[in-house]
Amino acid sequence: MLEKTVARVDEENGRLRGRQSRLESSLRACTWTMDLWARQMRDAGIEPEPPHPLVEEYNRTGV
């Protein structure tokens, strides 16, 4: 019984790690894209709105 539970938890953890990895990759891609857009706006003389506080925290800490 314990072996089945451990196997199930290992499988679930593997799936969760895969999802987390994809989510982190998507977040990095979105961040890169938004940074590109903000630079394009500034180059065109348009000041973008300040980022949300959670975005500021992520930019500061990477978490």
Side-chain angles (χ1 to χ4, degrees):
M1 181 70 153
L2 180 59
E3 290 175 0
K4 283 185 177 183
T5 301
V6 169
R8 180 184 54 80
V9 169
D10 284 347
E11 182 182 327
E12 288 174 3
N13 283 342
R15 285 195 310 267
L16 289 172
R17 283 189 196 107
R19 290 180 66 189
Q20 181 177 355
S21 178
R22 287 189 302 275
L23 180 59
E24 289 171 349
S25 295
S26 295
L27 177 60
R28 281 191 295 275
C30 287
T31 301
W32 182 87
T33 301
M34 287 183 285
D35 182 59
L36 175 65
W37 291 344
R39 280 187 274 129
Q40 289 173 338
M41 289 175 70
R42 286 188 181 103
D43 289 348
I46 303 167
E47 189 60 31
E49 291 292 320
H52 186 278
L54 289 175
V55 174
E56 281 292 326
E57 180 182 344
Y58 175 79
N59 288 339
R60 204 174 48 258
T61 65
V63 179

